[in-house]
Amino acid sequence: MLDRLLPAWIGLAMVAGLLLGRFVPELDDLLEAVTISGTSLPIALGLLLMMYPVLARVRYEDMGHVTGDGRMLLLSLVLNWLVGPLLMFTLAWVFLADYPEFRTGLIVIGLARCIAMVLIWNDLGCGDREAAAFLVAVNSVFQIAAYALLGTFHLQILPSWLGLGTEDVTFSTGEIMRAVLIFLGIPLAAGVITRVVGIRRKGLDWYENEFSPRISPWALYGLLFTIVIMFALQGEAILNEPGSVALVAVPLLVYFGLMWGVSFVVGRRFRLGYEKTTTVAFTAAGNNFELAIAVCIGVWGITSGQALAGVIGPLVEVPALLALVYVALWLRRRLAWPDPASDPTPAP
């Protein structure tokens, strides 16, 4: 029932969060009293709860088919670190040229590649769980190494080349590294340890057929809890500034649709198979809003337009990527999916 009615549960979670934020205003101060790497403690706990069951179900011992797939890795890197940021940069200037704060917030979102919620969308879309874990880990390394450099390029260098307005900003690599280690390192380590210890003590059959189904629903519980908290924290801003929400939501919706669609088409053309194609599409379309929000608040302040744009991001992403999950499942049934190992040449 949880799976079948997931859109309804997510809708109820959004409404519950908005109502909590609207009618229990003191809840905001309570939820923001403690933060972890710029993220509210309840949201951080929800994200960790959401990611742990997925990462505990990854077959790490079978990841050879993923780590050796150079086509998938190259395609994912190009989409995530070249196409994605440039697409968001373009959409930000096309839709928000007269709103510099929102524009900058959107560009910051485009630079932060997803390392958390994408695991849920990939799992719901029946993507390759091992591939998702691998690509998320790779994106985390690139995020630490390249985020500050790409931020400087897209906010200062590229606009200067194009004769557009530039933004003087300094990024903290240490903050980025800490966010990655917390939001990926902790659940990843817990998942690996759980699998190794569980299989060693109780056997693979028990782990796969008894333990995994038992913890699996907790990923969705964590997702619903996180959605309630996110909407509760931002309920007042959403209800009081619907115009701002709409301004930022439009380019984000275009971004999610274009990024996911292009990635899916290219993955199919490269004959990655349905599972890996779906994984590449969701890892390319998702964004690390926890990091983007932390950067916007740290650089421009919690009341800035950049921070508001960062907050609106996940509120748009959740329904958008959930809808794309159902698009992926529909395409899985409607299209022919050849074995990627049978023919390495691109599909016609």
Side-chain angles (χ1 to χ4, degrees), residues 27-101:
L27 186 66
D28 287 4
D29 295 332
L30 180 63
L31 293 175
E32 290 285 17
V34 180
T35 62
I36 295 180
S37 193
T39 300
S40 168
L41 177 61
I43 291 181
L45 293 176
L47 290 170
L48 295 177
L49 175 63
M50 180 177 69
M51 294 174 68
Y52 165 70
V54 178
L55 291 170
R57 295 168 63 201
V58 172
R59 295 183 175 92
Y60 297 98
E61 64 275 13
D62 295 335
M63 289 189 70
H65 77 283
V66 172
T67 57
D69 193 336
R71 292 178 306 155
M72 181 192 72
L73 176 58
L74 178 61
L75 178 60
S76 179
L77 289 176
V78 170
L79 289 168
N80 274 283
W81 297 103
L82 181 61
V83 177
L86 285 175
L87 175 60
M88 191 71 91
F89 174 89
T90 302
L91 293 174
W93 276 99
V94 168
F95 286 93
L96 300 172
D98 297 328
Y99 302 90
E101 290 189 351

Side-chain angles (χ1 to χ4, degrees), residues 170-248:
T170 301
F171 297 96
S172 171
T173 302
E175 290 285 339
I176 295 169
M177 182 181 296
R178 183 160 67 247
V180 169
L181 290 176
I182 291 172
F183 293 114
L184 178 62
I186 291 175
L188 179 60
V192 171
I193 292 170
T194 300
R195 185 171 184 86
V196 170
V197 174
I199 292 176
R200 184 175 298 169
R201 292 191 174 182
K202 304 284 285 187
L204 180 61
D205 182 70
W206 172 86
Y207 192 90
E208 294 284 355
N209 298 314
E210 292 188 39
F211 180 72
S212 288
R214 205 174 299 161
I215 65 170
S216 180
W218 285 94
L220 297 183
Y221 299 154
L223 173 66
L224 296 174
F225 173 78
T226 304
I227 290 171
V228 170
I229 300 301
M230 284 194 307
F231 275 75
L233 280 170
Q234 303 304 327
E236 186 174 354
I238 296 168
L239 295 174
N240 292 343
E241 299 189 50
S244 298
V245 173
L247 276 173
V248 178

Side-chain angles (χ1 to χ4, degrees), residues 20 23 138 155 171 175-176 234 275-276 302 309 311 318 323:
L20 279 173
F23 295 108
V138 171
L155 292 174
F171 297 96
E175 290 285 339
I176 295 169
Q234 303 304 327
E275 289 78 12
K276 288 184 179 179
I302 194 169
V311 164
V318 169

